[in-house]
């Protein structure tokens, strides 16, 4: 804490000699205090408190590539043209990576950053209508729209509705127009079939999906589910997992190309619509460099 600072005794200024002239400048503890405050204001939930770039497990190719992109993003920030959209199945480290980037950007660049779970954000906005509170929709959305870097976690987890699409469309559009970087994570699949309930188009609408393509590099992450193989997996345990787990990308691809959790629902839709699901559609790559 600042009171304990041996250099400035809590004044947060220190004297330096420049060209033989003594001047006052910010003490190092001022920056430390600022970063501490910014990290607190970023609202990263306690369960992700230990997520750092340095502890991201990147055993699989797509995880290694995602890690490279994350590092590049942090180095370039704020001179980045695009945000990141990290998508893929559960448990591959998408949120871990997003939180790691956010904290690193706050620490090294002093950026104002915010973390929001999509579902929680929508709940907070909705609460401003329901209760007789003073808080307005914009009180909740202001920091979301204005943060230097926003992490919007688990996009598509909320049941889609016109209101959900409109509200998320507002966030996406405003940040796009203001050229503010956003990192999204999502379990959605980039399905060309607009009736696929797990697809970006079905959940968010075609316009918002196009915006996301324009404003983000889409980074697909696959990998062993850390909740299944455990942390610090060995090549052997991953190989074992890849061979046997129904959630392994290998096995998912063999069956239908959809995450196992959604298979039943999506298949039912496909049967109804009579449409053919296309494996490995690469529409998301339109946003990549
Ligand atoms: Zn000090």
């Amino acid at each position: 804490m600042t009171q304990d600072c041996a250099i400035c005794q809590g004044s947060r200024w220190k004297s330096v000699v420049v060209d033989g002239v003594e001047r006052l400048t910010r003490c190092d503890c001022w920056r430390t205090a600022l970063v501490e405050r910014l990290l607190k204001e970023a609202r990263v939930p306690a369960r992700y408190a230990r997520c750092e770039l340095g502890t991201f497990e990147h055993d699989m190719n797509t995880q290694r590539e995602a890690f490279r992109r994350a590092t590049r993003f942090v180095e370039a920030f704020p001179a980045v043209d695009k945000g990141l959209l990290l998508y893929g199945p559960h448990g591959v480290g998408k949120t871990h990576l997003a939180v790691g980037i956010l904290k690193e950007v706050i620490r090294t660049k002093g950026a104002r950053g915010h973390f929001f779970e999509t579902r929680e954000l929508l709940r907070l906005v909705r609460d401003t209508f329901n209760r007789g509170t003073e808080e307005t929709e914009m009180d909740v959305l202001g920091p979301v729209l204005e943060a230097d870097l926003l992490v919007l976690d688990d996009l598509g987890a909320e049941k889609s509705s016109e209101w959900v699409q409109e509200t998320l469309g507002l966030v996406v559009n405003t940040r796009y127009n203001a050229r503010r970087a956003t990192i999204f994570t999502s379990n959605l699949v980039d399905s060309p079939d607009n009736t696929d309930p797990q697809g970006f188009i079905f959940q968010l609408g075609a316009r918002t999906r196009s915006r996301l393509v324009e404003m983000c590099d889409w980074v697909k992450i696959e990998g062993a589910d850390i909740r299944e193989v455990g942390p610090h997996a060995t090549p052997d345990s991953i190989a074992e997992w890849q061979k046997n787990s129904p959630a392994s990308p290998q096995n998912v691809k063999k069956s239908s190309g959809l995450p196992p959790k959604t298979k039943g629902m999506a298949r039912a839709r496909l049967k109804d619509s009579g449409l053919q699901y296309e494996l490995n559609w690469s529409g998301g790559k339109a946003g990549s460099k």
Side-chain angles (χ1 to χ4, degrees), residues 5 8 12 27 29:
C5 180
C8 70
R12 296 195 181 183
C27 181
C29 70

Side-chain angles (χ1 to χ4, degrees), residues 40-116:
K40 211 177 284 172
E41 288 172 359
R43 303 176 57 127
V44 174
R47 65 182 177 284
Y48 302 129
R50 297 174 75 178
C51 295
E52 300 290 345
L53 274 190
T55 57
F56 177 70
E57 300 262 338
H58 41 289
D59 305 309
M60 314 274 273
N61 280 334
T62 56
Q63 288 170 322
R64 275 194 289 272
E65 174 58 20
F67 182 72
R68 264 194 296 273
R69 300 246 203 145
T71 313
R72 229 182 292 150
F73 180 92
V74 170
E75 282 165 7
F77 192 91
V80 287
D81 296 334
K82 289 182 167 188
L84 296 170
L85 191 149
L86 311 172
Y87 70 115
H90 277 287
V92 295
K94 302 184 296 292
T95 304
H96 184 130
L97 200 57
V99 168
I101 295 170
L102 178 67
K103 285 156 103 179
E104 209 53 30
V105 163
I106 293 172
R107 281 194 202 111
T108 60
K109 315 283 166 113
R112 285 171 312 145
H114 266 296
F115 178 98
F116 264 106

Side-chain angles (χ1 to χ4, degrees), residues 1-14 26-30:
M1 284 282 101
T2 49
Q3 301 95 291
D4 304 323
C5 180
I7 304 166
C8 70
Q9 283 79 41
S11 74
R12 296 195 181 183
W13 293 91
K14 66 177 180 182
R26 284 297 186 187
C27 181
D28 308 346
C29 70
W30 176 81

